[in-house]
Amino acid sequence: FFGALRTSRLRRWQTIIFVSIYAIYFGLYLCRSNLTVTIPGMITSGIIDKEQVGTMISLGTFTYMAGKLMGGTYLTDRLGGRPVLIVTGIGTVIFTLLFAISGSKSYAMMLFSWAANRMAQSCAWPALIKSISVWFDPSSHGRIVAAASTSYLFGDAVVRLLYGALLASGWTWEGIFYFGAVSMAIITIFASVGLRHRDPTSIGEQAIVGTSSNVYHSTSDKPESFRDLIFPLLKSLPFYLLLLMSIGLTFIRETLRDWIPLFLEEKTHLTQSQAALASTFYIIVGGFSTLLVGNLMDSKKFQSRKAWLMGIFLILLIIFLSILSIIQIIVGDEKINTVLALVLLCGIGMTLTGDTFKLKVEN
């Protein structure tokens, strides 16, 4: 899916770069989904309660969004994707270990560790997009970003399946966190080798040229100041629309990602390990949907219909969320049919494809 690549050397390094950034982002979910699948067990064992979980998730989401702003508008553009991805991996390992060590001793340390972990991880996606924009032609960005997005879609599903199996075999929540930290450390070491080149010019190839629809297309030099970086965006109406869409979709995705296993355990007839495994259906459906949308957005047939495609998916998302909310209100404290709940969650996962839409509109 790498498109029209100019030389075998460039093709080889594009493959290495893609595998490396994919591995890094996949590894992050070893240290992100660990909390999601262990929340029910920690609540049952009395380590934390639902209110504390809500506070932890909310604070983590806030630091995640704040970190994206810092990582996207300053660190990534100043330092490049490679160093930011590597530092993200190192920070994730450190704060995951700290969470596991402090979990049974101090809720305050758990709160700090999770918030810091989420802030460290927030810089990874801007760095991943930066690496793609530097190494791949804009004509293939839809497919490349869609494929890269499966690192957190299929990656999240694989991690949940793995952790669900480990929980079913008797692993403790601390063991899950230690496993994720060690695995992420190994991934970061190997990925840092694959990311040793900054851009195609460092291997003797020509730099990738952006498209004329990019807001920076008239600027020949790299923006030197924060004002030069931000001002072109502030004059772009699509930027504001995408910003609002991103806030909404991120809020929905982050909320569902953390609460789905607990929702399935409490509101359907599934056990803790079954709920962790069942939650992967929502993610897997979303992964295949993202791949489909990525290919559609790159095809010439849909070049003038991107807004319509985006609108259809957003309307369907609203419908699925509304149905699930109405059913929840109707049944109250009663159980929801497991199949119906999973169908609605899969529908929501299918329509949460915002990252692919955003990149193609921006380019």
Side-chain angles (χ1 to χ4, degrees):
F1 54 84
F2 290 123
L5 308 180
R6 293 188 288 272
T7 68
S8 59
R9 178 172 54 185
L10 179 59
R11 181 182 299 111
R12 181 173 66 254
W13 274 105
Q14 284 177 319
T15 303
I16 293 172
I17 294 296
F18 181 82
V19 171
S20 298
I21 61 178
Y22 191 99
I24 284 277
Y25 216 83
F26 175 92
L28 293 181
Y29 275 80
L30 289 165
C31 301
R32 186 181 297 185
S33 297
N34 47 9
L35 179 66
T36 304
V37 301
T38 56
I39 281 175
M42 285 193 284
I43 291 177
T44 302
S45 61
I47 296 174
I48 52 177
D49 56 36
K50 289 182 181 179
E51 183 178 349
Q52 291 174 323
V53 170
T55 300
M56 185 181 300
I57 292 174
S58 298
L59 180 60
T61 302
F62 175 79
T63 57
Y64 185 73
M65 290 190 293
K68 273 188 178 294
L69 179 63
M70 179 181 66
T73 60
Y74 184 78
L75 291 179
T76 301
D77 280 315
R78 291 297 178 184
L79 303 178
R82 175 186 180 275
V84 173
L85 283 170
I86 295 173
V87 171
T88 292
I90 295 172
T92 297
V93 171
I94 293 173
F95 293 121
T96 300
L97 288 174
L98 183 60
F99 187 97
I101 294 170
S102 62
S104 59
K105 301 176 182 178
S106 170
Y107 171 71
M109 284 302 298
M110 290 178 68
L111 199 63
F112 167 77
S113 301
W114 186 250
N117 186 13
R118 295 289 279 144
M119 175 166 281
Q121 292 189 19
S122 68
C123 298
W125 189 253
L128 181 146
I129 295 298
K130 180 71 172 182
S131 298
I132 290 175
S133 67
V134 167
W135 281 94
F136 296 93
D137 189 88
S139 63
S140 65
H141 280 176
R143 297 189 299 276
I144 300 298
V145 172
S149 297
T150 63
S151 63
Y152 69 79
L153 294 168
F154 294 146
D156 194 9
V158 170
V159 169
R160 288 175 190 239
L161 288 171
L162 172 62
Y163 286 163
L166 292 178
L167 287 172
S169 65
W171 279 54
T172 64
W173 72 267
E174 293 100 332
I176 296 294
F177 274 77
Y178 285 126
F179 179 90
V182 172
S183 301
M184 185 64 206
I186 296 172
I187 290 172
T188 301
I189 292 171
F190 281 97
S192 64
V193 177
L195 294 171
R196 61 184 179 271
H197 292 298
R198 183 181 180 89
D199 55 48
T201 61
S202 62
I203 60 170
E205 298 290 338
Q206 294 181 352
I208 301 296
V209 179
T211 65
S212 59
S213 60
N214 189 288
V215 295
Y216 299 105
H217 75 277
S218 61
T219 303
S220 58
D221 298 324
K222 179 179 178 180
E224 292 298 330
S225 65
F226 185 79
R227 180 184 180 280
D228 293 338
L229 186 66
I230 294 298
F231 193 67
L233 289 174
L234 297 181
K235 297 188 296 183
S236 172
L237 177 60
F239 169 74
Y240 292 102
L241 297 177
L242 292 171
L243 181 63
L244 291 174
M245 184 182 77
S246 179
I247 292 172
L249 294 181
T250 298
F251 177 79
I252 295 170
R253 184 172 62 244
E254 291 298 311
T255 301
L256 290 175
R257 185 184 60 79
D258 290 319
W259 286 104
I260 280 178
L262 184 61
F263 168 79
L264 290 174
E265 182 186 5
E266 291 190 345
K267 300 304 296 183
T268 68
H269 302 277
L270 299 177
T271 65
Q272 178 186 344
S273 59
Q274 289 173 337
L277 295 174
S279 66
T280 61
F281 289 114
Y282 153 81
I283 302 165
I284 291 172
V285 171
F288 282 111
S289 174
T290 299
L291 289 174
L292 173 62
V293 170
N295 280 278
L296 290 177
M297 297 294 269
D298 274 342
S299 66
K300 294 181 178 180
K301 183 183 298 185
F302 282 88
Q303 286 300 305
S304 60
R305 302 176 184 175
K306 290 182 288 189
W308 282 99
L309 188 62
M310 184 188 305
I312 291 172
F313 271 72
L314 291 176
I315 291 172
L316 289 174
L317 174 61
I318 294 171
I319 291 174
F320 285 124
L321 286 170
S322 299
I323 294 175
L324 185 61
S325 300
I326 292 171
I327 292 175
Q328 172 67 22
I329 294 173
I330 293 174
V331 301
D333 294 331
E334 300 296 323
K335 297 285 187 178
I336 299 175
N337 180 274
T338 303
V339 175
L340 175 60
L342 288 175
V343 168
L344 291 173
L345 288 173
C346 286
I348 294 170
M350 178 188 71
T351 53
L352 280 173
T353 54
D355 290 309
T356 304
F357 284 127
K358 285 183 287 182
L359 189 90
K360 285 311 294 179
V361 173
E362 288 164 359
N363 285 326

